[in-house]
Amino acid sequence: MPELPEVDAVRRQLAPVMRGARFDRVLVRRKDLRRPFPKHFSDRLKGRTVRNVTRRGKYLLADLSSDETLLMHLGMSGSFAVARRHGSSRSSNSAGPHDHVVFGMSSGATITYNDPRRFGVMDLVPTRSLDHHLSRIGPEPLSSEFNAASLAKACAGRRTSLKAALLDQRVVAGLGNIYASEALHLARLSPRRPASTLATPSGEPRESARRLAAAIKTVLRRAIERSTARAYRTSRFRVYDRAEEGCQTPRCPGTIRRITQAGRSTFYCPVCQK
DNA sequence: ATTGAGACCTGTCGGC
DNA sequence: TGCCGACAGGTCTCAA
């Protein structure tokens, strides 16, 4: 479940039980996920207090009293389960098949990281050098740093498709395969259009860049609201996974198509997305 | 320097 | 029912 809105939901899930709490127990049940766990991972966490839990792109960041930051990425299949008080539902002794890490917090919460595909990452870096570690990630889409101008500039001169450019975390942080398709649909821009067409030859943003930057913000905001309201069940998307269904753009007679770009599925309407 | 393909893993689903 | 391939919301590495 992990693009920006879902990662942010996880942040809101973890913050109340981690912030101000100490790591009492840290159980690491294998030596690696996508990468090895850092040296002395448990010992560097135990006894430390979490100052805050934040998010940057698809990374979760726990700021520790040791002036290190615990950096977590969910990959494709990572998730956290929180059990208040000493493991009402799932304690460290009764670990499920893909429960790889268990944090016992002084707040009384047991936090279990589960990740079947193990594409996730946990790392520990000096907080001072956090910027350096995240320096390759582009602007936060919901910040004012990200706008038509910055988007056009990041796409200027690129030969790749618009869809592929949106998946590049250096262009904008936090978009994944679903919300890239959703944003392009809302902006009525074809995913196959060359990314370079967002900018004039001198790098100035075109109208398309304005529409796309705005659509990215709208799509992500809506998704975050939905996950907050949580009045939805697997509420589906406008185009993602809707091949052969009717386009939802008002008065558009088109049919959603599925194509493959850079090895990933893209869903779009060939009629209204130009 | 970019770009696309392949690799990393396990689970699920549809077709035969 | 069981097997098999295709596919999954992410990124990294590598060859062109």
Side-chain angles (χ1 to χ4, degrees):
Chain A
M1 50 180 243
E3 296 183 37
L4 186 150
E6 294 77 27
V7 175
D8 206 65
V10 173
R11 184 191 64 74
R12 298 192 308 270
Q13 171 193 21
L14 295 182
V17 290
M18 289 191 102
R19 194 187 294 137
R22 184 172 9 90
F23 288 92
D24 284 343
R25 292 176 302 123
V26 176
L27 190 59
V28 181
R29 309 187 59 251
R30 51 176 300 123
K31 66 180 193 317
D32 58 10
L33 295 173
R34 186 157 59 74
R35 306 196 310 238
F37 286 96
K39 297 276 183 232
H40 313 296
F41 185 61
S42 312
D43 289 340
R44 286 159 73 185
L45 290 177
K46 271 185 250 176
R48 313 303 184 189
T49 298
V50 177
R51 290 180 178 139
N52 203 2
V53 183
T54 56
R55 177 193 59 70
R56 178 77 173 89
K58 296 173 193 168
Y59 286 90
L60 289 163
L61 311 169
D63 177 22
L64 308 180
S65 56
S66 53
D67 292 325
E68 290 197 295
T69 293
L70 169 61
L71 195 146
M72 298 170 282
H73 194 292
L74 302 172
M76 292 277 260
S77 58
S79 66
F80 286 95
V82 175
R84 303 268 182 168
R85 266 325 359 138
H86 298 282
S88 53
S89 67
R90 177 160 296 177
S91 74
S92 53
N93 334 329
S94 67
H98 303 290
D99 292 346
H100 306 307
V101 183
V102 182
F103 298 137
M105 307 302 296
S106 63
S107 59
T110 298
I111 302 172
T112 303
Y113 179 71
N114 181 284
D115 188 353
R117 295 178 75 177
R118 303 203 301 274
F119 289 167
V121 171
M122 286 206 191
D123 203 356
L124 215 36
V125 306
T127 301
R128 282 193 336 279
S129 59
L130 191 58
D131 282 354
H132 170 72
H133 281 271
L134 300 173
S135 61
R136 296 166 56 92
I137 299 180
E140 277 298 310
L142 295 179
S143 75
S144 55
E145 311 282 296
F146 176 74
N147 52 37
S150 64
L151 177 60
K153 190 175 173 192
C155 289
R158 296 192 55 156
R159 310 238 85 140
T160 190
S161 68
L162 209 40
K163 166 74 178 330
L166 292 185
L167 291 183
D168 186 337
Q169 301 298 296
R170 294 169 300 183
V171 171
V172 55
L175 279 189
N177 205 38
I178 291 180
Y179 295 110
S181 279
E182 295 295 312
L184 286 165
H185 181 253
L186 184 59
R188 302 191 319 280
L189 294 172
S190 171
R192 325 173 74 135
R193 168 202 275 258
S196 59
T197 61
L198 292 188
T200 65
S202 58
E204 298 301 305
R206 294 186 194 277
E207 169 62 20
S208 53
R210 298 187 198 293
R211 289 217 309 270
L212 185 52
I216 288 168
K217 289 175 190 273
T218 298
V219 159
L220 294 178
R221 279 203 199 99
R222 280 183 191 158
I224 290 173
E225 279 170 29
R226 262 188 328 200
S227 67
T228 303
R230 76 184 254 152
Y232 71 109
R233 301 262 316 153
T234 329
S235 86
R236 296 181 64 206
F237 305 96
R238 302 265 183 109
V239 285
Y240 185 83
D241 204 21
R242 285 189 182 275
E244 308 312 316
E245 294 183 34
C247 179
Q248 294 186 29
T249 296
R251 294 177 304 285
C252 177
T255 298
I256 305 305
R257 299 293 182 209
R258 173 185 182 279
I259 61 172
T260 299
Q261 292 181 291
R264 322 284 311 273
S265 290
T266 298
F267 297 86
Y268 80 113
C269 171
V271 175
C272 68
Q273 292 182 252
K274 295 301 182 189

